[in-house]
Amino acid sequence: MDKKTLIEWDKNYIWHPFTQMKYWLEEEPVIITEGRDCFIKDIDGKWYLDGVSSLWVNIHGHRKSEIDEAIKSQLDKIAHSTLLGLCNEPSIILAQKLADLLVRHLSSGDPLIKIFYSDNGSTAVDIALKIAYQYWTNLGIKGKDTFVSLKEGYHGDTIGAVSVGGVELFHKVYKPLLNRSIQASAPYCYRCEFKLSFPSCNFACLNEMEQILKENREKIAAVIIEPLVQCAGGIIVWPEGYLKGLKQLCTKYEVLLIADEVATGFGRTGKMFACEHEEVTPDIICLSKGITNGYMPLAVTVVSKKIFNAFLGDIEERKTFYHGHSYTGNPLACAAAIANLDIFEKERTIENLSAKIELLRERLNEIAQVENVGDVRQKGLIAGIELVKDKKTKEPFSYKEKAGLKVVRLARKYGVWLRPLGDVIVIMPPLVISVDNLDRLLNVIKNCIIETIS
């Protein structure tokens, strides 16, 4: 198909996510036709270093042969079979592998071993919220119908997920539709709501969280968080100790803790799961994105046996979890995920991250000195560079100035693909990116910031 026709059809028929279509219709889009390793190629034959892992899903690089072959092999058997009243081989094998992985990496609490399948991060979160609410109901405890989440938190775009979201730009318009929730201050040290500095603040944000839990414990079903890094909120990296302190508060006030590791799971923070860093085992964990290396839509919501057992009973007790999706446990997606997890072990993916994490830290320290760079934040191979109009006062650029967008558009000319979060430049490459390519990525980002706004 020729490029002109594809662009015409795109503009005539596709409504792109998180995109102001007025501007899209006025510009020429980039059409991707191929991927290989950490690069993607457009229809004109230009290759781009994929600096955001195709929206945080790619772990082992594009066109990974083991995953290609796993999907082809499964396709020769069956593409789809429902889990409603039936089983299928890949979903069973993957469930065992995930349970074993979670038990090995999150060993400080009740083992997370019961897997509920869905197809994306938003649905995984919706399932977690419903399970948390019904758990208390099944135990005969009424009134726990409220969730606590963090400002600048993001958990997806379904109504349930938006109800616990805190990114005003994304969520404000839907407030009349949302379920009950309470928002607590995020541990966003660069823009601390309390005008304090860490560690002398003594975790003022955590103290606020305790007050919320203390005053509302009878109606709170769970606290839901993105552990260590609030990604879509602007790569907000938490200070050490907040997560562990939060878990202790949830235990103290008898509310569940839901960890949304959709973005932070599968090695992104330098460990298999972000919760590992502070030896926290949540009551419920949500996983997606990197679970299939971006090959197929798949997500899981995983709970302990204790929570699972609360849903067991005779049919007339109505304790059943009445939830499901047509594509729950899809064999092709599960086959891709099995191959993806095998690669972690075979290639020692996480063990090989240390040099890259250190390089990223060193280069971010350099970038932090650039005029109009207000803050740099990093956890593992996730990083954010917050651009500001005034370094001293932290004054942000106006929305109309599109500072972040200008930087990433210039980066395209140098063969680097990025997508900002407002004026935060997001760095989240595939974990297998080479040291040389990571260095190149950071050079381009630094030079583009200097060239466009400094």
Side-chain angles (χ1 to χ4, degrees):
M1 187 66 68
D2 67 279
K3 178 181 176 181
K4 182 179 178 181
T5 301
L6 287 171
I7 290 175
E8 182 181 342
W9 287 1
D10 177 277
K11 293 187 176 186
N12 283 346
Y13 305 118
I14 296 183
W15 191 341
H16 288 263
F18 286 87
T19 300
Q20 176 42 256
M21 295 301 293
K22 176 182 183 295
Y23 301 121
W24 183 270
L25 296 174
E26 295 169 354
E27 300 169 358
E28 182 173 304
V30 176
I31 301 175
I32 297 302
T33 60
E34 190 179 338
R36 189 182 307 149
D37 186 44
C38 296
F39 293 84
I40 50 178
K41 186 175 79 170
D42 71 17
I43 198 168
D44 295 318
K46 182 173 181 176
W47 287 92
Y48 302 86
L49 180 56
D50 188 355
V52 290
S53 302
S54 294
L55 206 60
W56 317 346
V57 300
N58 193 269
I59 298 286
H60 303 297
H62 299 278
R63 292 302 312 275
K64 194 68 175 176
S65 61
E66 294 92 332
I67 305 177
D68 290 356
E69 292 306 315
I71 292 173
K72 291 174 185 176
S73 176
Q74 181 58 43
L75 193 57
D76 287 336
K77 300 173 185 176
I78 187 170
H80 182 65
S81 175
T82 180
L83 283 194
L84 276 74
L86 290 172
C87 310
N88 69 66
E89 186 178 9
S91 69
I92 296 171
I93 294 170
L94 177 59
Q96 189 281 327
K97 289 180 78 70
L98 285 169
D100 178 66
L101 194 69
L102 285 159
V103 168
R104 281 191 284 120
H105 289 273
L106 301 177
S107 58
S108 62
D110 288 343
L112 299 170
I113 60 169
K114 290 294 184 177
I115 315 291
F116 198 101
Y117 285 110
S118 58
D119 54 5
N120 67 75
S122 299
T123 55
V125 166
D126 272 4
I127 289 163
L129 299 176
K130 290 177 72 175
I131 286 175
Y133 169 74
Q134 191 175 339
Y135 167 75
W136 296 112
T137 301
N138 284 359
L139 292 180
I141 300 172
K142 306 297 183 183
K144 282 183 170 282
D145 56 5
T146 302
F147 295 89
V148 178
S149 57
L150 297 179
K151 295 174 183 176
E152 304 305 325
Y154 176 86
H155 301 285
D157 299 318
T158 56
I159 291 299
V162 170
S163 294
V164 291
V167 182
E168 191 165 298
L169 177 64
F170 302 158
H171 303 144
K172 184 178 180 180
V173 69
Y174 305 111
K175 278 189 177 179
L177 306 177
L178 305 184
N179 303 320
R180 295 183 182 91
S181 68
I182 301 170
Q183 283 195 352
S185 298
Y188 187 0
C189 295
Y190 180 65
R191 297 192 181 277
C192 175
E193 280 194 53
F194 305 96
K195 310 299 182 186
L196 300 171
S197 298
F198 183 80
S200 61
C201 64
N202 293 317
F203 285 114
C205 51
L206 203 54
N207 294 334
E208 180 198 68
M209 175 67 80
E210 179 162 24
Q211 277 302 115
I212 291 171
L213 296 181
K214 185 177 182 180
E215 293 171 8
N216 301 279
R217 64 186 298 178
E218 301 301 323
K219 64 180 183 181
I220 294 172
V223 176
I224 180 168
I225 45 95
E226 304 157 85
L228 298 193
V229 189
Q230 292 177 235
C231 290
I235 312 298
I236 298 169
V237 178
W238 293 359
E240 185 177 351
Y242 180 90
L243 176 61
K244 196 172 192 71
L246 177 59
K247 173 59 177 175
Q248 291 169 347
L249 290 178
C250 288
T251 301
K252 178 179 179 180
Y253 292 103
E254 298 181 299
V255 301
L256 300 179
L257 178 63
I258 301 170
D260 174 357
E261 291 226 31
V262 168
T264 59
F266 301 108
R268 289 290 181 193
T269 64
K271 293 185 182 290
M272 183 60 76
F273 305 107
C275 285
E276 277 186 79
H277 287 274
E278 299 195 11
E279 298 182 338
V280 165
T281 300
D283 299 290
I284 303 173
I285 194 168
C286 304
L287 302 168
S288 189
K289 287 196 183 291
I291 195 170
T292 68
N293 199 52
Y295 271 70
M296 304 283 290
L298 184 69
V300 294
T301 306
V302 192
V303 306
S304 66
K305 202 167 184 180
K306 172 185 173 183
I307 291 177
F308 173 80
N309 286 345
F311 290 78
L312 302 181
D314 292 325
I315 194 71
E316 64 270 18
E317 294 181 81
R318 299 185 180 182
K319 290 185 175 182
T320 303
F321 186 49
Y322 289 111
H323 187 102
H325 301 277
S326 299
Y327 289 93
T328 293
N330 173 263
L332 288 177
C334 290
I338 292 166
N340 183 53
L341 294 182
D342 287 344
I343 294 168
F344 272 99
E345 294 189 19
K346 184 179 77 172
E347 298 188 357
R348 297 176 60 82
T349 304
I350 294 176
E351 292 86 338
N352 292 327
L353 286 178
S354 57
K356 301 170 194 178
I357 292 170
E358 185 56 34
L359 173 64
L360 179 56
R361 183 177 294 112
E362 291 172 2
R363 296 306 312 277
L364 284 173
N365 287 337
E366 294 175 22
I367 293 171
Q369 307 310 311
V370 174
E371 188 181 356
N372 298 113
V373 171
D375 191 34
V376 296
R377 304 185 278 271
Q378 178 196 5
K379 193 66 184 179
L381 218 57
I382 300 174
I385 301 168
E386 184 166 343
L387 307 176
V388 293
K389 194 159 192 167
D390 189 303
K391 202 178 184 87
K392 184 176 288 187
T393 66
K394 304 182 184 180
E395 178 191 354
F397 284 99
S398 70
Y399 197 60
K400 288 184 178 180
E401 289 176 276
K402 301 178 185 175
L405 193 57
K406 288 176 183 176
V407 171
V408 304
R409 283 187 172 171
L410 181 60
R412 294 182 199 174
K413 293 184 179 180
Y414 296 107
V416 167
W417 185 263
L418 297 164
R419 182 175 172 87
L421 288 162
D423 290 335
V424 176
I425 306 302
V426 177
I427 302 168
M428 205 183 298
L431 299 187
V432 295
I433 190 171
S434 68
V435 169
D436 287 344
N437 280 328
L438 179 59
D439 198 43
R440 176 192 161 196
L441 171 65
L442 296 164
N443 276 331
V444 169
I445 291 172
K446 179 180 178 180
N447 292 336
C448 288
I449 292 171
I450 293 170
E451 192 172 335
T452 54
I453 62 173
S454 292

